[in-house]
Amino acid sequence: MAESHPPLRSYGRLKTRAIKPRQAALMETLLPSLRPPAEPFDPRALTPAGAEAWLEIGFGGGEHMAAQAARRPDVLILGAEPFQNGVASALRHIDEAGLANVRVHDGDARDLMARLPDACLARIFVLFPDPWPKTRHNKRRIVQAETVAEFARLLKPGGALRFASDWADYVDWSLLRLTADPAFRWTAERADDWRTPPADHITTRYEEKRLGDCAPVFLDFVRT
């Protein structure tokens, strides 16, 4: 029997600096109550008002996730982030805002997605993921044909997928793979549709740093 191998990591370091004492305490006290079930589950069963569920893949410091959750208390937002400092930061935002509609998976998003049923999500966000800019590392990018197929499986018909990046090559890479899947329709009709942040977008401190090689590009897709 062929030996199975785990998927390549789509993220870099798990920790870069010491976590501040308050955030470290939240990792011990708050995080356990926010983790989604370890077994297969339907996120719609966890929504406060039974409305819908969203997923943010790689939420960074949690600013966008927390702000979206505050705007829509009727929506359950699942967030996945393996970077420990980012998880600690997100917990602070969640705690300060008193948010009850967020669940945090402190690990690989693909592990979380595998536990979710078909057509259970209304929105997926993949915002400024690790670009893996070196050609030999491109295979580590989170957007691959197989993950696009998983996005399609998880989104209900009419559901929305948003990808954003400030690396031109990653934008081209993702656009090619998303438009190649017939399950997705790109909504852009003019250049401003991808050059201008969408009306409901929340700009984060990471985005403002402009660490990439181009202005931020926003690609919005609909699940057909």
Side-chain angles (χ1 to χ4, degrees), residues 10-47:
S10 61
Y11 46 89
R13 292 174 294 177
L14 294 177
K15 185 177 179 182
T16 59
R17 62 184 183 279
I19 296 173
K20 297 177 181 178
R22 180 191 170 197
Q23 295 179 5
L26 291 173
M27 294 280 280
E28 297 293 330
T29 59
L30 181 58
L31 179 58
S33 68
L34 297 183
R35 287 191 177 110
E39 63 280 349
F41 70 101
D42 190 334
R44 293 166 295 191
L46 304 177
T47 55

Side-chain angles (χ1 to χ4, degrees), residues 119 151-153 155-161 178 181-187 221-224:
F151 298 159
R153 180 185 73 82
L155 279 170
K156 66 181 183 179
L161 168 67
L178 285 161
D181 193 314
F184 288 104
R185 176 178 60 84
W186 189 23
T187 63
F221 291 83
V222 170
R223 175 67 165 91
T224 58

Side-chain angles (χ1 to χ4, degrees), residues 106-187:
D106 51 327
D108 194 318
R110 293 168 296 187
D111 296 335
L112 175 61
M113 291 191 290
R115 303 204 296 269
L116 301 177
D118 296 354
C120 67
L121 300 175
R123 298 192 75 174
I124 295 176
F125 298 95
V126 186
L127 306 179
F128 304 95
D130 194 323
W132 293 104
K134 295 181 179 179
T135 302
R136 68 177 184 273
H137 292 154
N138 285 175
K139 60 183 178 291
R140 294 182 178 272
R141 289 172 168 173
I142 188 65
V143 177
Q144 304 287 343
E146 56 269 28
T147 48
V148 170
E150 187 74 342
F151 298 159
R153 180 185 73 82
L154 294 174
L155 279 170
K156 66 181 183 179
L161 168 67
R162 177 172 296 159
F163 172 87
S165 179
D166 53 4
W167 286 87
D169 176 66
Y170 202 177
V171 173
D172 292 341
W173 168 284
S174 300
L175 186 59
L176 177 64
R177 282 152 182 78
L178 285 161
T179 54
D181 193 314
F184 288 104
R185 176 178 60 84
W186 189 23
T187 63

Side-chain angles (χ1 to χ4, degrees), residues 8-9 15 24 55 71 80 85-86 94 144 177 202 222:
L8 290 171
R9 273 178 44 173
K15 185 177 179 182
L55 170 65
R71 284 179 176 177
N85 299 83
I94 293 167
Q144 304 287 343
R177 282 152 182 78
I202 291 117
V222 170

Side-chain angles (χ1 to χ4, degrees), residues 126-129 162-172 186 190-198 201-220:
V126 186
L127 306 179
F128 304 95
R162 177 172 296 159
F163 172 87
S165 179
D166 53 4
W167 286 87
D169 176 66
Y170 202 177
V171 173
D172 292 341
W186 189 23
R190 58 186 66 86
D192 281 351
D193 291 338
W194 66 80
R195 292 174 179 167
T196 304
H201 177 64
I202 291 117
T203 302
T204 65
R205 286 175 295 173
Y206 176 84
E207 181 183 341
E208 290 175 339
K209 292 179 181 179
R210 299 294 179 95
L211 298 176
D213 61 2
C214 70
V217 174
F218 300 87
L219 305 179
D220 276 351

